[in-house]
Amino acid sequence: MAAIKYHLIKKDSKNKARLGILETPHGIIETPVFMPVGTQATVKSMTPEELKEIGATIILSNTYHLYLRPGHKIIEKAGGLHKFMNWDRAILTDSGGFQVFSLNSLRRITEDGVEFRSHIDGSRHFFTPEKVIEIQNALGSDIMMSFDECAPYPADYDYVKKSMELTIKWAERGKRAHKNTEKQALFGIVQGGTYEDLRKECAQRLVDMDFPGYSIGGLSVGEPKNVMYDIVDLTTEYLPEDKPRYLMGVGSPDDLIEGVIRGVDMFDCVLPTRIARNGTVFTSKGKLIVRDAPYAEDFSPLDEECDCYTCRNYSRAYIRHLFKANEILAARLATLHNLYFLIKLMKKIREAIRQDQLLEFKKEFFKKYYGNKEEY
Amino acid sequence: MAAIKYHLIKKDSKNKARLGILETPHGIIETPVFMPVGTQATVKSMTPEELKEIGATIILSNTYHLYLRPGHKIIEKAGGLHKFMNWDRAILTDSGGFQVFSLNSLRRITEDGVEFRSHIDGSRHFFTPEKVIEIQNALGSDIMMSFDECAPYPADYDYVKKSMELTIKWAERGKRAHKNTEKQALFGIVQGGTYEDLRKECAQRLVDMDFPGYSIGGLSVGEPKNVMYDIVDLTTEYLPEDKPRYLMGVGSPDDLIEGVIRGVDMFDCVLPTRIARNGTVFTSKGKLIVRDAPYAEDFSPLDEECDCYTCRNYSRAYIRHLFKANEILAARLATLHNLYFLIKLMKKIREAIRQDQLLEFKKEFFKKYYGNKEEY
C-alpha cells in the first residue's frame, strides 16, 4: 500500500485550482495547504500544541540541518522525528539539495553527488541521492524529497539542461534506494529553470517514473514573479491530476493565491516565521512593521480582523514594546499570528474553490491587502 | 478598605514557617509563595496562560525597567500593567531602588533621591520616593515597594546606618505620596545590611509606621548564606504576625526552604528563568546542565519525577539539541520546567507546614537534591 493518497474533491470551474484531501500516515491534510517550516526539528518559537491550535496539519523540516545537528542517527534512536519533536501530525522533509547548493564556496558537484562543508563546523560531508534517502528514512517523514540540483537564476540553457538531467538521474537512484514506501512517500522534483521545454521534459520524464507526488523546485530564486507564475502554470499542465503538487519555498500571500490558481496543492516558506521574528506581520490590510514608532501607543490588535491568540489578547503597543526590549515573547506572538494568517488564508482559498469563487476572492483580498494601488 | 489582607492559617509547630492566604485585588495567593520575575512586563519566554497552568498566582515586575521602556505613562494609557501584559492575577512591583543602586558609575545619591543614567540610552533621570510611587500607581500593581537604598556587601556600620535612616525617611515620604491605598498595598523595606541592631531598629520603626506588608531587602548580595539566614531569622522576630513578609531577590531551592523556616511568606528571583535560558535546569536530584554532551542521546525527561509539560513531552536529547541549535523553544521548555519546579516546591512546602513536617521535608529534599554530600 502507498504511504499517501490524494483525493481530488473538486476543481474550480474558472481556473486550475484544486480542492483535495491528502491522506498520510500522520493524518488527513486538506489541500491546498501551507506548511510551516521547522528547519531544526522545531518551528521557531512555537510548540506543537500551538501549531495544532492554529490549524497546521503538516510541517516541513530540513534534512541538511538535521543530518548535521543533532544527526539523523540520534533522531532515529529517539524513535523518529515525530517522536523526537513531539509532533504527531504529518512531516515533509526536503532533500537537502537546496541547502547544499546554497553553500556556494563550500561545495563540489559530481555525477555521483555533492561534497560540501558544514556551515556549523566546516567538516566535510558527501550527499548522494541514496544518502539523502537513507537520512530521510531515518527521520521517518511522511513525505520525502528526491535529491535534486537547484540551478541558480539566471543560468544559461545548457547549464540548466545538464542540471535537469542530473536531477532526473538522481530521482531514479533515490527511488531505487527508497525501501520504506508504505510509510513514506517520495516525491520527484521538477527542475528546468525558466525554460519551458526543460520544465515540460522534466515533468514528463518524472511522471513516467510514477512518483506519489511532484514538487516544483528552483523557483522564487530571483526570477520575476510573472515568470514564476508562467512556469508553474506550464508545469502543472504535465502533472497527473491524481497526485499532489508542491511548489517549494513559496509562501507570500500573493504567491499562495497565484500558485493555487495554477493548480498547486502544497506550499512552504520561511517568510512568515522569519519576518515575524524581525517584527513584521501580515494583516488584512498588508504588511505592518510593528517595531516601528507609530505603534508605541497603538492599543489595537495587529489585525482588527484576526481572531488568533495574539490578536485576541495583545496590542500593537505591547508587542512593539516586547520587540524593542528583545523579549522572546515578541517572536512567539508575531510568529503565531503570521502562521495563523497564512493557514487561515488557505482555508479561505479552499472555501472559495468550493464556491467556484477563487478569482473573486483573489480580487477582494488583493484590493484590501494592497490598498488602492493600481499595480500589485 | 485595605488593598490586601493576610490570613495566617497555621504555623508549623517546630519552626517559624507560616501557612497563609493573601487576598489581593487580583486573586487569592497561598503563601509561602514563589513569584516568577517578569522584568519587562513579560516573564521571559512565557505567556500568561502558561504561568497560570504551572500555578503562578503572582508575578513580579520591575519599576525601573518599565519606567524607561515602554514608559509608565504608556502602560497607564493601556489600562495598567495587568491589561497591557494580559495578566489578570496579582502583580508586585519593586521600587527601582535595587536597579538604580546597581548602576554604580551611573548614579548620584542625595537626600532627596537618586540621579541616574538609563542603561538603554544614557539619558538622565531622577527617582525620588514620591516619583517611584507615582510610577507604581500608574502601573497599577497590587503590591508596591517603597524606595529604598540597598547597601552593598560588605559595607561598614556607619554607611549602613546612614543608608537605613535614608530608607526609613524615604518609606515615610512614599507612604504619604501613595493615594491609591484601596487598590494597591505599599510595603516597607527592612534594610540594615548584616548588622543585627540595625535590622532590628529598621524593622521596628517601619512596623510603627504600619505598612500592609514588609520586605526584607539587601540580602543575597554576596554575604555568606548562614549570615543571610541569621539576619532573616532575626528580622522576622520584629515583624507582625498579621502581615506578609517578603524576602527580596531570593529563590534557590535551599534558600526558599530556609527562608520559609525562618518565617518568610513571599520570594522572587530571576535565577530559575535566567539559568533556564542558559541550559541549566532544576531536578529532584540537583541541577543539571542539559546543554552538556552526555545528554545528546539521553531520551529521558529532564526530571523523572516531574510532571510538567516539558517533562511529559520532551527528552533531554531534544532539549539539548534545541540549545545547541539556539532555538527559542529551548528557553521556553527549560523556563517552564524551572518555574514549575519552584512553584511545586512551594506547594510541597505548604503541605509540609500543614502536616507539621517541614523540617523532615527539608531533610528528605536536601538528601536527594545534594546526593550523599555531607555538607550542603
Side-chain angles (χ1 to χ4, degrees):
Chain A
M1 224 184 73
I4 64 165
K5 203 166 175 184
Y6 176 77
H7 306 271
L8 176 59
I9 304 294
K10 183 186 180 303
K11 288 169 72 177
D12 190 297
S13 63
K14 302 171 217 159
N15 60 83
K16 291 161 75 178
R18 300 141 46 95
L19 195 67
I21 293 283
L22 185 61
E23 286 182 58
T24 78
H26 289 88
I28 299 279
I29 297 155
E30 294 184 62
T31 61
V33 66
F34 175 78
M35 304 181 283
V37 177
T39 295
Q40 303 189 109
T42 167
V43 174
K44 289 188 191 303
S45 89
M46 304 277 286
T47 62
E49 288 75 15
E50 287 162 352
L51 290 169
K52 287 183 185 180
E53 196 174 312
I54 61 171
T57 51
I58 177 169
I59 62 170
L60 179 144
S61 203
N62 292 103
T63 292
Y64 165 82
H65 291 87
L66 296 180
Y67 161 79
L68 289 179
R69 189 169 57 194
H72 58 293
K73 297 282 184 195
I74 284 181
I75 293 177
E76 190 171 31
K77 277 187 201 166
L81 184 54
H82 292 86
K83 200 172 167 201
F84 185 60
M85 68 180 290
N86 185 35
W87 173 252
D88 59 11
R89 294 191 178 176
I91 298 175
L92 181 150
T93 45
D94 65 3
S95 67
F98 181 78
Q99 278 74 26
V100 167
F101 288 103
S102 304
L103 299 168
N104 281 310
S105 64
L106 300 177
R107 47 116 174 132
R108 193 172 58 84
I109 309 169
T110 69
E111 179 83 14
D112 193 38
V114 183
E115 188 186 56
F116 62 94
R117 284 174 178 276
S118 159
H119 73 285
I120 301 169
D121 62 8
S123 55
R124 280 176 196 278
H125 302 269
F126 195 70
F127 270 5
T128 62
E130 292 79 13
K131 179 76 185 177
V132 302
I133 297 298
E134 179 200 321
I135 298 167
Q136 293 179 87
N137 282 156
L139 298 176
S141 49
D142 300 271
I143 300 175
M144 304 160 50
M145 293 296 127
S146 302
F147 198 45
D148 62 326
E149 188 193 344
C150 177
Y153 178 85
D156 64 42
Y157 187 87
D158 288 345
Y159 181 92
V160 177
K161 184 171 169 56
K162 228 179 103 185
S163 165
M164 179 207 78
E165 293 286 351
L166 195 62
T167 293
I168 292 172
K169 265 183 214 157
W170 286 357
E172 275 168 356
R173 284 171 53 187
K175 198 163 187 289
R176 270 198 306 274
H178 177 39
K179 301 299 174 202
N180 194 21
T181 54
E182 293 194 5
K183 294 276 182 65
Q184 299 181 271
L186 176 64
F187 280 26
I189 303 181
V190 181
Q191 290 288 356
T194 54
Y195 300 103
E196 298 198 354
D197 63 322
L198 297 182
R199 285 281 173 181
K200 177 182 169 185
E201 184 186 342
C202 191
Q204 287 177 326
R205 288 169 63 183
L206 289 171
V207 170
D208 286 344
M209 291 162 60
D210 192 24
F211 283 94
Y214 299 91
S215 306
I216 306 174
L219 291 176
S220 201
V221 291
E223 77 286 358
K225 286 214 174 197
N226 64 317
V227 172
M228 171 170 89
Y229 298 154
D230 287 348
I231 292 293
V232 170
D233 207 9
L234 173 111
T235 306
T236 56
E237 287 296 315
Y238 300 98
L239 296 176
E241 276 218 326
D242 62 344
K243 301 286 170 63
R245 298 109 173 234
Y246 158 37
L247 179 53
M248 305 179 84
V250 167
S252 63
D254 53 337
D255 289 350
L256 291 173
I257 295 173
E258 299 293 357
V260 169
I261 286 173
R262 288 160 181 82
V264 174
D265 307 304
M266 305 164 71
F267 303 85
D268 81 286
C269 194
V270 295
L271 180 80
T273 39
R274 181 171 294 163
I275 65 175
R277 293 195 304 281
N278 292 324
T280 298
V281 294
F282 297 125
T283 83
S284 50
K285 291 176 183 160
K287 279 195 267 187
L288 182 145
I289 303 169
V290 70
R291 296 186 72 102
D292 283 356
Y295 307 112
E297 299 193 23
D298 184 341
F299 301 111
S300 62
L302 292 178
D303 183 1
E304 291 281 3
E305 295 184 21
C306 182
D307 59 349
C308 80
Y309 167 76
T310 302
C311 289
R312 288 198 316 272
N313 295 294
Y314 304 93
S315 65
R316 293 171 174 183
Y318 180 64
I319 296 168
R320 174 180 191 266
H321 162 65
L322 294 178
F323 273 110
K324 299 300 283 183
N326 289 318
E327 286 286 353
I328 289 175
L329 189 57
R332 291 186 59 182
L333 297 180
T335 299
L336 187 144
H337 170 81
N338 275 0
L339 287 177
Y340 183 84
F341 185 88
L342 292 192
I343 287 170
K344 193 157 185 187
L345 173 60
M346 297 314 279
K347 198 174 175 180
K348 288 175 184 167
I349 286 173
R350 292 195 300 269
E351 188 52 34
I353 300 171
R354 208 183 302 276
Q355 311 286 338
D356 279 327
Q357 295 285 318
L358 185 55
L359 298 182
E360 292 78 0
F361 172 80
K362 168 187 159 180
K363 203 175 158 187
E364 283 302 304
F365 178 85
F366 280 6
K367 196 173 158 187
K368 210 182 222 171
Y369 194 77
Y370 291 106
N372 291 320
K373 283 176 259 173
E374 285 287 312
E375 296 288 324
Y376 23 77
Chain B
M1 223 186 73
I4 63 165
K5 201 166 176 187
Y6 176 77
H7 306 271
L8 177 58
I9 304 294
K10 181 184 180 304
K11 289 169 72 176
D12 190 297
S13 64
K14 301 170 216 160
N15 59 83
K16 290 161 75 177
R18 301 142 44 96
L19 195 67
I21 293 282
L22 186 61
E23 286 182 59
T24 78
H26 289 88
I28 298 278
I29 297 156
E30 293 184 63
T31 61
V33 67
F34 175 77
M35 305 182 283
V37 177
T39 295
Q40 304 188 109
T42 167
V43 175
K44 287 189 193 304
S45 89
M46 303 277 287
T47 62
E49 288 75 14
E50 287 162 351
L51 291 169
K52 287 182 184 180
E53 195 173 311
I54 61 171
T57 50
I58 176 168
I59 62 171
L60 178 143
S61 204
N62 292 105
T63 292
Y64 165 81
H65 291 86
L66 296 180
Y67 161 80
L68 288 179
R69 187 169 58 192
H72 59 294
K73 295 281 184 196
I74 283 181
I75 293 177
E76 189 172 34
K77 278 187 200 167
L81 184 55
H82 292 85
K83 201 173 166 203
F84 185 61
M85 68 179 290
N86 184 36
W87 173 252
D88 59 10
R89 294 190 178 176
I91 298 175
L92 181 150
T93 44
D94 65 2
S95 67
F98 182 78
Q99 278 74 27
V100 167
F101 289 102
S102 303
L103 300 168
N104 281 309
S105 64
L106 300 177
R107 46 112 177 135
R108 194 174 56 85
I109 308 169
T110 70
E111 179 84 12
D112 194 37
V114 183
E115 188 186 53
F116 63 95
R117 284 174 177 276
S118 159
H119 73 285
I120 300 169
D121 61 7
S123 55
R124 281 176 195 278
H125 303 268
F126 196 70
F127 270 4
T128 62
E130 292 79 11
K131 179 75 184 175
V132 302
I133 297 298
E134 178 201 324
I135 299 167
Q136 292 179 88
N137 282 157
L139 297 176
S141 50
D142 301 270
I143 300 174
M144 302 159 53
M145 293 296 126
S146 303
F147 198 45
D148 61 325
E149 189 193 345
C150 176
Y153 178 85
D156 66 41
Y157 187 87
D158 289 346
Y159 181 92
V160 177
K161 185 173 169 55
K162 228 179 103 186
S163 166
M164 179 207 77
E165 292 287 353
L166 195 61
T167 293
I168 291 172
K169 267 184 210 154
W170 285 357
E172 275 169 355
R173 283 170 53 185
K175 197 163 189 288
R176 271 198 305 274
H178 177 37
K179 301 299 174 202
N180 193 21
T181 53
E182 293 194 6
K183 294 275 184 66
Q184 298 181 270
L186 175 64
F187 280 27
I189 302 181
V190 180
Q191 291 287 357
T194 53
Y195 301 103
E196 299 198 355
D197 63 323
L198 297 182
R199 287 280 172 181
K200 176 182 170 186
E201 184 186 342
C202 191
Q204 287 176 326
R205 286 170 62 185
L206 288 172
V207 170
D208 286 344
M209 291 162 60
D210 192 23
F211 283 93
Y214 298 91
S215 306
I216 305 174
L219 291 175
S220 199
V221 292
E223 77 286 358
K225 286 214 172 198
N226 65 317
V227 172
M228 170 170 90
Y229 297 154
D230 287 348
I231 293 293
V232 170
D233 207 9
L234 172 111
T235 305
T236 56
E237 287 296 316
Y238 299 98
L239 297 177
E241 276 220 329
D242 61 344
K243 301 285 170 63
R245 299 109 173 235
Y246 160 35
L247 179 54
M248 305 180 84
V250 168
S252 64
D254 53 337
D255 288 350
L256 290 173
I257 295 173
E258 299 293 357
V260 168
I261 286 172
R262 288 161 181 82
V264 173
D265 307 304
M266 305 164 71
F267 302 86
D268 81 287
C269 194
V270 295
L271 179 79
T273 40
R274 181 171 293 165
I275 66 173
R277 292 195 304 283
N278 291 326
T280 298
V281 294
F282 297 126
T283 83
S284 50
K285 290 176 184 161
K287 278 196 268 187
L288 182 144
I289 304 170
V290 71
R291 296 187 72 102
D292 282 356
Y295 306 113
E297 300 194 21
D298 184 341
F299 301 110
S300 63
L302 292 179
D303 183 1
E304 292 281 3
E305 294 184 21
C306 182
D307 59 350
C308 80
Y309 167 76
T310 302
C311 289
R312 287 197 317 271
N313 294 294
Y314 303 93
S315 64
R316 293 171 174 183
Y318 181 65
I319 296 167
R320 174 181 190 266
H321 162 65
L322 294 178
F323 273 109
K324 300 299 283 182
N326 290 316
E327 286 286 353
I328 289 174
L329 189 57
R332 290 184 59 180
L333 296 180
T335 298
L336 187 144
H337 170 81
N338 275 0
L339 287 177
Y340 184 85
F341 185 88
L342 292 191
I343 287 170
K344 192 154 185 186
L345 173 61
M346 297 313 281
K347 197 173 175 183
K348 289 175 184 166
I349 286 173
R350 293 196 299 270
E351 188 52 34
I353 300 171
R354 207 182 304 274
Q355 311 287 339
D356 278 327
Q357 294 287 317
L358 185 56
L359 297 182
E360 291 78 0
F361 171 80
K362 168 186 160 182
K363 202 174 159 189
E364 283 303 303
F365 178 86
F366 281 7
K367 195 172 160 189
K368 210 185 226 171
Y369 194 78
Y370 292 105
N372 291 320
K373 282 175 259 173
E374 284 289 312
E375 295 290 325
Y376 21 80

